Amino acid sequence: MSGGIVKGRALVLRLGRERVSLRFEKRGLIVGGVLAALGLLLAAFALTFGTYPIVVSGIVRALLGGGDEMARTIVVEWRLPRVALALLLGAALGMSGAIFQSLTRNPLGSPDVIGFSAGSYSGALVVILLFGGGYAETALGALLGGLLTATAVYLLAWRGGMQGFRLIIVGIGVAAMLSALNAWMIREAELQVAMSAAVWGAGSLNGLGPEQLWPVAVTLGLLLPPILLLAPAMRQLELGDDVARATGVQADRTRLGLTFLGVALTALATAAAGPIAFIALCAPQIARRLSGAGHVALVPSALVGGFLLLSADLAAQHALPVQLPAGVMTVSLGGLYFLWLLLREGRR
């Protein structure tokens, strides 16, 4: 039997004779619906806006296979894949940030702060600069680089246990060293390859199309089920390992699985568009404040991450006379947020 009951401010769904119970906060559901609607509206605006403006009716005709050939090319082959990639990659970064902020129990614990993004970038650069790999090879290199960095950070931060703030400090140091390594690799590479790698390293959606959209969508679809399956255990880990084990959670195995999934999400975004900073840092905290929850939640973080990256990409394309990579916009705005967060955590 399946059913739903209302308890206070939450909606509880019970499936399969109450073997599975899902709890949804009412405010979280409302905020999630509003964020999804805003993301769709922004996506619709992005499809109409540009050097060649297209009215909404023209967008609909192009999506249905009608209209003139130029409009179909612009909408279906150029704008739609870019908009969809911004939403998907932003969602991946938002969920990755939520996972690591939950595991470290610290708002500074995002993959771009603790070095995992830099590690994914290093792995991708090795494949690009040394082996001239394509998209699949670059994605594998980014994943391996992120996993090796995560292993190194955890080993260096381990002192008879894992303390979130120590892991963040170690991660910042590892990220600084990897950034220097990445700059050296680009400097030593051949000029043409180095220029391409440097442009990609700024974090940009320029030139991305259907050939990148489908691998990203399929990979994200494969990662989502285990992430959502581990989400309740992730919340239990926030209460501490002892409490988590008392409620039946295998703390070490769950943390390892979540770390792998978080790195995979970061590597997915890095392989597709390069390292895009601060989405993973900002999105979970914005989502937490909007939903009024005492913890970072995955779905709201994904929705906020997609909205932020699409907004940054639109601003990078149209806000200035010169088109910029989306990563430049996220660094410019996210850096201010990072500074405020550092000052606040320092006072605490």
Side-chain angles (χ1 to χ4, degrees), residues 28-189:
L29 287 173
I30 294 172
V31 169
V34 171
L35 287 171
L38 289 174
L40 291 175
L41 287 174
L42 187 62
F45 173 74
L47 291 176
T48 63
F49 189 66
T51 306
Y52 186 86
I54 303 175
V55 296
V56 175
S57 59
I59 296 292
V60 174
R61 284 195 299 270
L63 292 176
L64 296 177
D68 61 87
E69 185 177 351
M70 174 169 254
R72 286 199 305 272
T73 300
I74 292 173
V75 173
V76 178
E77 296 184 18
W78 297 350
R79 291 182 185 172
L80 182 60
R82 182 166 183 156
V83 169
L85 279 166
L87 293 174
L88 292 176
L89 296 179
L93 291 171
M95 287 191 291
S96 179
I99 288 172
F100 288 116
Q101 288 181 18
S102 176
L103 291 178
T104 60
R105 285 173 273 178
N106 193 303
L108 290 172
S110 75
D112 43 358
V113 174
I114 57 180
F116 300 165
S117 294
S120 295
Y121 184 30
S122 298
L125 277 180
V126 168
V127 173
I128 293 172
L129 298 179
L130 298 184
F131 304 106
Y135 176 78
E137 293 82 4
T138 301
L140 180 60
L143 177 60
L144 292 176
L147 289 175
L148 288 174
T149 303
T151 302
V153 170
Y154 270 92
L155 290 176
L156 290 171
W158 184 270
R159 292 292 183 276
M162 184 57 62
Q163 200 271 337
F165 196 73
R166 183 170 61 239
L167 184 141
I168 291 169
I169 296 300
V170 171
I172 290 174
V174 170
M177 290 188 289
L178 287 173
S179 297
L181 173 64
N182 296 338
W184 177 81
M185 283 193 291
I186 292 175
R187 182 171 177 266
E188 294 298 314

Side-chain angles (χ1 to χ4, degrees), residues 191-211:
L191 180 60
Q192 191 64 34
V193 179
M195 289 178 64
S196 300
V199 171
W200 173 79
S204 175
L205 300 176
N206 296 336
L208 300 186
E211 60 275 11

